[in-house]
């Protein structure tokens, strides 16, 4: 059996409940985005991402209110926009630091991550959320600060999660042969792309999801069930 030397994990539905993102983070950012853009819109970072969002939408010039309304629409559509994710991450940072919430973790995740790291495996995150948002997520989790466990983070600036090339880039960045990397996700299309790039895969199908009789990828109920 090929030795696993690195694990790359998704977040939503894999380490953490999708409900936390949908029911806590998204509404928090949506409610605060208009005021955040109005009060921070002249800072370089916010200006940059507002410009990137406008460029993505094909807008040359638009009133700030129009851009705000577009971003709110993108939140409602759960659009995988790097610019939107960056702006949401800035808003979420304020929420985490003020103690408005902590990131949800499935109960076995923290202990399993610690065990894998203690065994010498290198751990990485690949999520559609921006890298700063990922660091906040694991830094302010219900299980405490988990960021020291991770060697690196990847977001959609690396590429779309359902494209083979993204996983080829990640393997190159990690510096491991794809066959020595295990990618964990709850989305089968992401796993298909990772497998096409040569990575090993693990399909998280937590209750109440049913595990197919012949799953396309090794399927697990939780991290404790994963056999390396």
């Amino acid at each position: 059996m090929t030795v696993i030397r690195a694990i790359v994990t998704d977040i939503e539905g894999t380490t953490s409940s999708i409900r936390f993102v949908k029911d806590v983070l998204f509404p928090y950012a949506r409610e605060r985005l208009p005021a955040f853009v109005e009060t921070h819109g002249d800072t370089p970072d916010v200006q940059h991402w507002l410009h990137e969002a406008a460029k993505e939408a094909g807008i040359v010039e638009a009133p700030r209110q129009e851009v705000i309304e577009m971003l709110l629409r993108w939140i409602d559509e759960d659009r995988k926009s790097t610019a939107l994710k960056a702006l949401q991450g800035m808003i979420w940072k304020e929420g985490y630091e003020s103690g408005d919430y902590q990131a949800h973790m499935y109960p076995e995740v923290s202990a399993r991550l610690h065990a894998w790291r203690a065994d010498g495996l290198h751990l990485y995150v690949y999520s559609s959320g921006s890298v700063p948002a990922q660091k906040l997520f694991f830094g302010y989790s219900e299980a405490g600060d988990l960021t020291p466990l991770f060697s690196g983070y990847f977001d959609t600036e690396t590429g779309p999660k359902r494209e083979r090339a993204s996983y080829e880039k990640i393997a190159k960045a990690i510096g491991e042969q794809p066959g020595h990397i295990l990618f964990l996700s709850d989305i089968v299309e992401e796993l298909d792309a990772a497998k096409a790039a040569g990575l090993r895969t693990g399909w998280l199908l937590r209750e109440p999801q049913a595990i197919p009789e012949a799953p396309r990828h090794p399927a697990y109920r939780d991290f404790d069930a994963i056999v390396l």
Side-chain angles (χ1 to χ4, degrees):
M1 180 179 284
T2 305
V3 175
I4 296 298
R5 295 180 179 148
I7 295 176
V8 180
T9 184
D10 171 50
I11 296 178
E12 293 178 50
T14 304
T15 65
S16 314
S17 172
I18 295 172
R19 284 198 299 271
F20 172 71
V21 178
K22 301 286 188 189
D23 298 345
V24 178
L25 291 185
F26 280 5
Y28 190 91
R30 194 187 195 289
E31 179 183 343
R32 288 161 177 77
L33 185 138
F36 178 84
V37 172
E38 290 293 350
T39 56
H40 297 77
D42 294 328
T43 62
D45 279 353
V46 176
Q47 270 190 338
H48 168 74
W49 289 115
L50 290 174
H51 175 73
E52 289 298 306
K55 188 164 69 174
E56 182 180 334
I59 299 171
V60 178
E61 286 189 35
R64 185 168 287 176
Q65 184 58 36
E66 186 177 326
V67 175
I68 289 171
E69 289 171 2
M70 177 190 72
L71 291 168
L72 293 174
R73 188 166 61 252
W74 285 3
I75 291 175
D76 295 338
E77 296 168 355
D78 191 16
R79 185 177 176 122
K80 305 303 183 186
S81 161
T82 299
L84 172 63
K85 297 296 183 182
L87 292 165
Q88 285 175 312
M90 294 177 192
I91 298 170
W92 292 331
K93 182 175 187 289
E94 295 181 353
Y96 282 117
E97 291 179 345
S98 64
D100 288 346
Y101 44 73
Q102 292 178 310
H104 172 265
M105 288 287 145
Y106 285 116
E108 86 290 349
V109 167
S110 174
R112 184 52 50 194
L113 291 174
H114 277 91
W116 285 336
R117 189 68 198 93
D119 287 341
L121 279 77
H122 293 283
L123 307 178
Y124 299 85
V125 180
Y126 182 28
S127 172
S128 58
S130 68
V131 166
Q134 295 173 28
K135 291 178 178 179
L136 288 167
F137 198 100
F138 286 102
Y140 292 88
S141 84
E142 295 171 344
D145 182 4
L146 302 180
T147 56
L149 300 175
F150 293 100
S151 299
Y153 304 81
F154 301 93
D155 59 20
T156 50
E157 290 200 79
T158 297
K161 295 187 71 183
R162 302 188 183 197
E163 291 187 6
R164 169 180 176 170
S166 302
Y167 299 89
E168 293 172 341
K169 287 181 184 177
I170 287 173
K172 185 175 181 181
I174 289 174
E176 287 285 358
Q177 290 297 315
H180 293 300
I181 303 170
L182 173 64
F183 175 60
L184 304 176
S185 177
D186 64 319
I187 304 297
V188 71
E189 292 84 0
E190 296 176 2
L191 296 166
D192 289 345
K195 185 177 180 180
L199 278 67
R200 298 271 298 281
T201 54
W203 189 5
L204 273 296
L205 286 167
R206 295 181 179 272
E207 297 284 2
Q209 296 179 87
I211 295 180
E213 287 187 17
R216 279 154 52 182
H217 302 271
Y220 306 104
R221 280 293 182 209
D222 56 33
F223 277 26
D224 285 341
I226 296 170
V227 178
L228 300 180

